[in-house]
Amino acid sequence: MRYLDPKADLTFKKIFGEHKDLLISLLNALLPLADDEQIESVEYLSPELVPETYVGKNSIVDVRCRDVKGRQFIVEMQNAYQTFFKDRSLYYATFPIREQAEKGDVWDYQLKHVYVVALLNYEMSDPAFSTESINHDIGLLDKQTHRVFNDKLTFKYVEISKFNKSLEELETNYDKWLYVLRNLSRLDSQPDYLRNEIFNRLFSEAEIAHFSKVELREYEDSLKAYRDIKNSLDTAKAEGLAEGFGKGRVEGHAEGRAEGLVEGRAEGRAETLVEVAKNLLSIGTPIESIMKATGMTEDEIKDLA
């Protein structure tokens, strides 16, 4: 292996959290921005989202930045299924919204746009999504007219695991970025289709030679954690399927199968996440990483120790 997987936690933060040009190119490729709204420069903000009250929970996002127009961008790479990931995305958005409140007595409540960008290394399969697309733009709409009610909040979900174009089929910058995110660690060299200033930098930064021994060890640990979670969730899903169909046979109708399927999946996933959290604790994985991987709270994880 010549290149590290950019979807891994350490690699993603190192590439996009340290190199503004790569982050800007990625965001401009993914987001529905008009030509005159393209991102030109950004400043990195703290990835730690701190609540206003001491009883709230701190959260850590992968990358957070603001451009010269005051728009804020939260970028997350999510490698494994999480039951309340949509809720988590919504929670993240509240921080940059609240932070815009101006100090003093007078403020007209005019907000700058907030974007939450989620790159998903699994099939989200949300009923609200079009099954014909892997690129989903979510905003605030009137349910009857489907017209935009407020354009200051955008959620972008991209199911990169479903991207299946070959090198020869890549046409846009969007295609190239999704191809690289999905396939970089499988490549032995940089293809001619992906040679320009931005992708030359990306391939260079993702080379194993640029990482220290400590970073490579952390990289392997993050991959192991992801594989453990995925394998466990796949097992829970299979057990849920079996339980659901078994319940359906007993009850003798399709509704029973469907109900059992849902219950089996939910229960299996919940139990699996607890086991995964225990395993990650046993190998010394930081609580922050376990929270991100499983969706459990800090207190829930500490109770397992």
Side-chain angles (χ1 to χ4, degrees):
M1 184 174 65
R2 180 177 178 182
Y3 304 105
L4 299 189
D5 190 342
K7 299 186 297 299
D9 190 55
L10 178 141
T11 322
F12 189 86
K13 291 178 180 178
K14 187 172 181 64
I15 290 175
F16 298 108
E18 297 182 10
H19 303 286
K20 295 180 180 181
D21 55 340
L22 299 180
L23 177 62
I24 290 170
S25 178
L26 176 68
L27 290 174
N28 280 331
L30 294 180
L31 292 172
L33 299 173
D35 290 343
D36 60 349
E37 291 292 318
Q38 293 286 295
I39 304 164
E40 298 177 356
S41 64
V42 297
E43 63 170 320
Y44 286 118
L45 303 175
S46 171
E48 184 176 17
L49 305 177
V50 182
E52 294 178 347
T53 60
Y54 74 93
V55 295
K57 300 292 185 182
N58 289 21
S59 297
I60 305 293
V61 296
D62 287 334
V63 179
R64 184 184 176 205
C65 67
R66 177 172 51 219
D67 76 348
V68 294
K69 296 185 178 182
R71 299 175 295 186
Q72 284 202 38
F73 306 85
I74 291 175
V75 188
E76 278 282 287
M77 171 60 72
Q78 185 68 18
N79 277 300
Y81 170 87
Q82 190 178 112
T83 304
F84 297 110
F85 183 68
K86 287 194 297 183
D87 289 0
R88 196 174 103 191
S89 299
L90 184 59
Y91 178 66
Y92 287 162
T94 64
F95 288 86
I97 290 175
R98 292 200 315 271
E99 289 171 359
Q100 295 184 48
E102 296 181 1
K103 305 300 182 183
D105 297 331
V106 180
W107 179 46
D108 61 7
Y109 291 92
Q110 184 177 9
L111 297 172
K112 301 294 185 181
H113 206 124
V114 172
Y115 294 88
V116 179
V117 180
L119 299 165
L120 310 174
N121 193 25
Y122 62 93
E123 295 185 19
M124 191 166 180
S125 301
D126 192 275
F129 290 170
S130 166
T131 57
E132 299 177 358
S133 176
I134 66 173
N135 190 324
H136 312 285
D137 289 309
I138 311 300
L140 300 177
L141 306 176
D142 181 286
K143 289 185 177 180
Q144 289 184 315
T145 66
H146 294 167
R147 295 172 185 161
V148 176
F149 171 72
N150 186 299
D151 66 351
K152 299 299 177 64
L153 181 59
T154 296
F155 295 91
K156 164 72 75 173
Y157 297 93
V158 185
E159 299 173 279
I160 58 177
S161 63
K162 294 163 67 173
F163 184 80
N164 56 13
K165 286 188 177 183
S166 65
L167 269 173
E168 294 74 16
E169 295 175 304
L170 304 182
E171 298 178 356
T172 63
N173 214 32
Y174 166 81
D175 289 343
K176 293 176 181 179
W177 269 114
L178 291 195
Y179 181 88
V180 167
L181 287 172
R182 184 167 188 190
N183 298 294
L184 181 58
S185 60
R186 307 171 189 171
L187 301 177
D188 297 323
S189 61
Q190 184 178 355
D192 290 337
Y193 280 85
L194 297 171
R195 288 193 181 276
N196 60 34
E197 183 178 352
I198 287 295
F199 288 108
N200 290 348
R201 166 73 78 87
L202 174 68
F203 274 80
S204 174
E205 294 298 334
E207 276 196 289
I208 290 179
H210 277 145
F211 289 77
S212 67
K213 290 183 179 180
V214 173
E215 288 174 329
L216 288 175
R217 186 163 60 249
E218 291 176 356
Y219 170 79
E220 291 297 334
D221 288 344
S222 68
L223 279 186
K224 182 181 184 303
Y226 160 65
R227 290 166 182 156
D228 286 348
I229 291 170
K230 187 177 187 306
N231 289 336
S232 298
L233 290 176
D234 286 345
T235 300
K237 181 178 179 180
E239 292 174 350
L241 283 168
E243 181 178 340
F245 281 112
K247 182 174 181 178
R249 289 195 198 97
V250 172
E251 298 186 6
H253 50 71
E255 183 179 347
R257 288 197 297 274
E259 181 182 346
L261 191 66
V262 172
E263 292 178 359
R265 281 179 174 173
E267 293 173 4
R269 281 170 174 160
E271 294 173 0
T272 297
L273 290 176
V274 170
E275 290 305 313
V276 168
K278 289 180 179 178
N279 292 337
L280 294 177
L281 279 172
S282 69
I283 62 173
T285 304
I287 288 181
E288 172 195 318
S289 299
I290 301 175
M291 291 170 61
K292 184 175 185 297
T294 64
M296 298 174 67
T297 66
E298 182 178 355
D299 289 340
E300 288 172 336
I301 295 169
K302 287 181 176 179
D303 287 343
L304 301 176

